[in-house]
Amino acid sequence: MVFLPLQVLVQSAVIAVALFSHFAVAFPQHASLAGLSERDFHFAMTKLKAVVPASPPGPLRFDGSKLVFDKKHPWEAPRRGDLRGACPGLNTLASHGYLPRNGVATPSQIITAVQEAFNMENKLARFTTYFAMILDGNLVTDLISIGGKTPLTGVDPPLPAIVGGMTNHGTFEGDASVTRADSFFGDNHSFNQTLFDQFKDFSEEYGNGFYNMTVAGELRFHRIQQSIAQNPQFNLAGLRHLTAYAEVTFPANFFVDGRKQGSEIGQLDMKTAESFFKDMRFPKGFHRAAKPFEVDGIDVVFSAHPVLPGKNNGEEVDTFTVDESLGSLLDRCKLYTEYVNTTVRSLYPNPTGVLRRNLELNLQFLFDALSDFECTQVFL
Ligand code: HEM
């Protein structure tokens, strides 16, 4: 995944320009430190409040359905400067105050919120969060943004906002999302009405007006084919192969009200889908899922049209070549091993001090969450 560090370097270069040409600029506490030069890193460290990351929360004590759009969690529209990204689940949690409404959170806050409000299973919540945190978060302050653009305040002349956190392309965020465009086309994190219309068309055609695992299988395949045909930089390798298949199961598992019974379970109606994807809002009276969900249904989705990991050649469309070098959904231990050895090492080639300690802790939390895969632990 050669493009990975480059993306981060671009982001870091923007930050570095801000740091050295405008000393009034505060380094955002949630901005990633990946790819910074030693000089920039030391400068950034003078602005950061270093902490020891807390151990991740455990499973819920009561893990049945319950009202989550309650009086304590009213919906509020994001205010100026609040961050929202490509994940409709996390966006909704921030808009209801399960996460800080500004869109900047610690990994523990994210894990607590996705369990409490959606009933995401504990290990899934943990490994998803730490995969993202290590790539896109600030490991020294233990903060990550759920995406979007961070404005750099107090600068004259004004600087462009930093696109960062979970919106950082090629890290956790990737191509062929079902309601967000590929980064190649400009905006990789905002709700895209054309793609959502396609989501509704597929739900009509394959799900009688509902989104379910059958629809997910067809739409996942179609979005991959679209990206192969339209995006010369399309990339479905490594971690993205897993997340692309996992994410399309989430709407049917987590966005369906937990009070549904029998054949209504796993069937998402379009009004509810729009509420989450577009408005970042629980439907009135929403109850979380009736049991903790993992990536239930991912086998159905993958086996409908199995596509192996790979990518276009970067220059031309329709050049998709299988590339299993970074692992995939089908080889999760290789995925984990390459994530640490290739991706993390290229982002942090020589971590020292607090950064090294916190990176090691986060990698430990990630490995602990992957215990079901029975992989061999990789150390820095
Ligand atoms: C556990 C922590 C979570 C993290 C770190 C996370 C992060 C992300 C990120 C970075 C993306 C963008 C990937 C892309 O390019 O498509 C994404 C997509 C998505 N997430 Fe989350 N997410 C989390 C939990 C959740 C939960 C609990 C839900 C549902 C309740 C959810 C639903 C989705 C969906 C449906 C998409 C795909 C959006 C699309 O394809 O248009 N996520 N998530």
Side-chain angles (χ1 to χ4, degrees):
M1 215 188 286
V2 179
F3 74 102
L4 230 169
L6 277 179
Q7 294 290 336
V8 176
L9 284 170
V10 169
Q11 178 200 13
S12 305
V14 175
I15 295 173
V17 169
L19 290 178
F20 291 106
S21 47
H22 307 273
F23 285 97
V25 177
F27 189 91
Q29 296 289 309
H30 58 270
S32 169
L33 295 163
L36 289 186
S37 69
E38 216 178 312
R39 193 174 76 133
D40 294 353
F41 172 72
H42 286 301
F43 183 81
M45 284 299 284
T46 65
K47 304 281 175 193
L48 299 177
K49 187 169 169 276
V51 298
V52 182
S55 297
L60 292 172
R61 285 206 188 143
F62 167 69
D63 63 7
S65 183
K66 69 170 191 176
L67 177 73
V68 288
F69 190 174
D70 56 13
K71 287 207 174 96
K72 281 193 197 153
H73 299 95
W75 183 82
E76 285 173 24
R79 296 186 191 170
R80 204 178 144 81
D82 287 351
L83 300 173
R84 299 290 182 268
C87 175
L90 299 182
N91 288 345
T92 302
L93 296 176
S95 297
H96 281 275
Y98 278 96
L99 286 175
R101 290 182 189 270
N102 66 0
V104 176
T106 66
S108 292
Q109 286 174 320
I110 295 176
I111 295 161
T112 301
V114 298
Q115 294 189 150
E116 182 61 24
F118 283 119
N119 218 347
M120 186 179 256
E121 187 273 334
N122 178 251
K123 280 187 185 160
L124 172 62
R126 280 157 51 200
F127 74 68
T128 308
T129 301
Y130 288 109
F131 265 134
M133 177 66 194
I134 294 165
L135 299 177
D136 295 326
N138 186 309
L139 295 167
V140 169
T141 60
D142 201 35
L143 291 171
I144 181 167
S145 95
I146 63 175
K149 292 185 176 183
T150 300
L152 290 173
T153 50
V155 190
D156 186 23
L159 284 166
I162 301 171
V163 175
M166 291 188 205
T167 294
N168 200 12
H169 175 63
T171 48
F172 194 113
E173 192 284 327
D175 294 327
S177 309
V178 295
T179 66
R180 267 69 181 168
D182 288 3
S183 176
F184 179 75
F185 301 109
D187 183 347
N188 66 346
H189 61 281
S190 305
F191 174 79
N192 182 304
Q193 186 64 54
T194 309
L195 288 174
F196 188 64
D197 288 343
Q198 179 171 266
F199 179 100
K200 287 196 285 190
D201 290 346
F202 270 67
S203 301
E204 189 58 44
E205 187 172 348
Y206 297 100
N208 289 324
F210 292 88
Y211 181 90
N212 55 28
M213 293 306 167
T214 307
V215 178
E218 298 304 322
L219 185 57
R220 169 41 59 237
F221 182 63
H222 183 70
R223 284 292 295 130
I224 291 171
Q225 298 310 310
Q226 278 182 319
S227 287
I228 290 174
Q230 295 167 2
N231 175 1
Q233 292 170 10
F234 175 59
N235 194 312
L236 187 72
L239 181 61
R240 184 57 186 153
H241 190 256
L242 170 65
T243 58
Y245 280 100
E247 278 163 23
V248 291
T249 68
F250 290 176
N253 291 335
F254 297 115
F255 292 162
V256 176
D257 192 287
R259 291 167 299 177
K260 298 278 185 204
Q261 300 284 333
S263 60
E264 289 181 340
I265 295 171
Q267 307 289 330
L268 176 67
D269 69 80
M270 293 303 102
K271 206 168 152 234
T272 305
E274 185 163 318
S275 179
F276 282 109
F277 279 107
K278 186 175 181 181
D279 304 333
M280 307 182 256
R281 183 177 191 147
F282 290 129
K284 206 166 166 232
F286 187 73
H287 283 55
R288 73 179 186 201
K291 63 165 186 124
F293 272 109
E294 301 177 42
V295 283
D296 302 47
I298 197 167
D299 296 349
V300 176
V301 173
F302 183 72
S303 58
H305 300 282
V307 179
L308 294 174
K311 52 193 172 191
N312 278 346
N313 67 11
E315 305 287 327
E316 297 150 289
V317 297
D318 288 321
T319 50
F320 189 79
T321 314
V322 171
D323 176 354
E324 295 175 290
S325 62
L326 293 173
S328 69
L329 164 65
L330 305 169
D331 191 346
R332 295 180 195 186
C333 282
K334 186 163 188 183
L335 194 161
Y336 159 73
T337 305
E338 293 305 321
Y339 171 88
V340 182
N341 277 339
T342 305
T343 310
V344 176
R345 274 183 214 283
S346 68
L347 294 176
Y348 294 104
N350 186 25
T352 53
V354 179
L355 175 63
R356 186 179 185 93
R357 180 199 66 195
N358 286 6
L359 178 56
E360 283 174 350
L361 278 168
N362 276 274
L363 284 169
Q364 184 66 50
F365 297 152
L366 173 70
F367 180 73
D368 294 344
L370 295 172
S371 59
D372 292 347
F373 300 176
E374 297 180 356
C375 308
T376 306
Q377 185 163 10
V378 184
F379 296 95
L380 282 182

